[in-house]
Amino acid sequence: MQGPEPDQDLALLVDAARAAGEIAKRFWRRDPEVWEKDAGAGPVTEADLAVNAMLEAELQAARPDYGWLSEESPDDTARLGAAQVFIVDPIDGTRAFIDGQDSFAHSLAVARDGVVTAGVVYLPLRDLLYTATIGGPALLNGEPMTGAVPRALEGAQVLTSAISQDPAHWRAGAAPAYRRVFRPSLAWRLCLVAEGRYDATISLRAAWEWDIAAGALIAERAGITVSDRNGQPIRYNDPKAQANGLLVAPGSLHADFVGALWPRPD
């Protein structure tokens, strides 16, 4: 039986993202309780858990046959047998949220048979709503985005962490002379490239699906090339729920990154 269309899923995700923002704002700058996850996986707050509980309840009630993959839910392998799956980061940029910064985001996506079909990245404190469906344009607050234009690798403005500067990643024995910029939400970094405000974003370590699924679709629909660090397409709802790194850049700049990096086995 044919399921909901991507536009219908997108409308559902937009409503859920806005509701998530209202919950997050109730905790922001109000000293929320914070815990450290096991195995050095980083912090989680009571706001993350409250947003996650609402999203899981509302989205699963609306689409009971969809699988569920969220950073803040125990992984249920039943998702692997679902044709469609929600891929959710309740608060992307939790450290920024804890610090009282307004650059955290809610990242919500639907993937069908490994391909993202609808995605929303919402920054509630900045009122920035990035959206896309697999057959439609990338939009920011309803206006189309056309993405960054290709530039030379040297001098490009690249959103990435300091880990990317490790010489071991690069064939030349040193990182290229791009200008490194950092934003705490990986989902937002993809959208900033889609918006054309930065030239690229890269992650040279494994990237969790919930961080990248929505933003990857938004970037692709803005004409940006998205791949793993080896230049290979990313399939979603993987058993590991991780991609082998991330390269997001327009055309020739993306090719330059692939050529400059040492490949890494998945």
Side-chain angles (χ1 to χ4, degrees), residues 131-220:
T131 61
T133 62
I134 192 169
L139 303 176
L140 169 56
N141 292 344
E143 295 297 322
M145 297 184 292
T146 56
V149 298
R151 300 186 188 279
L153 185 49
E154 292 195 1
Q157 291 195 84
V158 180
L159 291 155
T160 189
S161 70
I163 292 170
S164 300
Q165 304 303 106
D166 186 340
H169 293 299
W170 302 96
R171 293 178 186 271
Y178 56 71
R179 289 179 285 168
R180 187 176 73 84
V181 186
F182 183 72
R183 295 292 181 270
S185 166
L186 180 52
W188 189 31
R189 291 180 224 165
L190 280 91
C191 294
L192 287 168
V193 179
E195 199 178 344
R197 293 176 59 186
Y198 294 90
D199 297 312
T201 186
I202 65 174
S203 178
L204 302 185
R205 59 183 176 181
W208 290 105
E209 289 186 17
W210 46 72
D211 288 330
I212 65 173
L217 175 64
I218 292 164
E220 287 173 344

Side-chain angles (χ1 to χ4, degrees), residues 16-18 37 75 81 83 117 119 230-231 243 261 264:
R18 291 196 182 279
K37 298 180 185 179
D75 193 10
T117 55
N230 297 337
L261 285 161
R264 183 181 68 188

Side-chain angles (χ1 to χ4, degrees), residues 38-239:
D38 294 338
V44 62
T45 74
E46 58 182 323
D48 294 82
L49 301 182
V51 171
N52 188 66
M54 180 278 294
L55 291 174
E56 186 168 7
E58 295 295 325
L59 294 176
Q60 294 261 264
R63 304 282 191 270
D65 56 333
Y66 284 22
W68 180 258
L69 175 62
S70 167
E71 180 175 12
E72 308 306 346
S73 298
D75 193 10
D76 183 354
T77 57
R79 66 179 172 84
L80 301 176
Q84 297 187 103
V85 60
F86 291 111
I87 304 177
V88 170
D89 192 342
I91 296 181
D92 185 39
T94 295
R95 287 186 175 87
F97 180 88
I98 294 167
D99 290 342
Q101 300 176 35
D102 64 1
S103 53
F104 67 90
H106 309 294
S107 176
L108 291 71
V110 169
R112 182 181 182 90
D113 297 328
V115 176
V116 181
T117 55
V120 173
V121 175
Y122 181 49
L123 281 72
L125 271 299
R126 296 182 178 227
D127 194 27
L128 298 174
L129 181 71
Y130 299 89
T131 61
T133 62
I134 192 169
L139 303 176
L140 169 56
N141 292 344
E143 295 297 322
M145 297 184 292
T146 56
V149 298
R151 300 186 188 279
L153 185 49
E154 292 195 1
Q157 291 195 84
V158 180
L159 291 155
T160 189
S161 70
I163 292 170
S164 300
Q165 304 303 106
D166 186 340
H169 293 299
W170 302 96
R171 293 178 186 271
Y178 56 71
R179 289 179 285 168
R180 187 176 73 84
V181 186
F182 183 72
R183 295 292 181 270
S185 166
L186 180 52
W188 189 31
R189 291 180 224 165
L190 280 91
C191 294
L192 287 168
V193 179
E195 199 178 344
R197 293 176 59 186
Y198 294 90
D199 297 312
T201 186
I202 65 174
S203 178
L204 302 185
R205 59 183 176 181
W208 290 105
E209 289 186 17
W210 46 72
D211 288 330
I212 65 173
L217 175 64
I218 292 164
E220 287 173 344
R221 299 308 299 169
I224 304 299
T225 303
V226 178
S227 74
D228 72 10
R229 62 169 288 157
N230 297 337
Q232 298 302 307
I234 299 170
R235 300 287 295 181
Y236 294 87
N237 199 24
D238 184 84

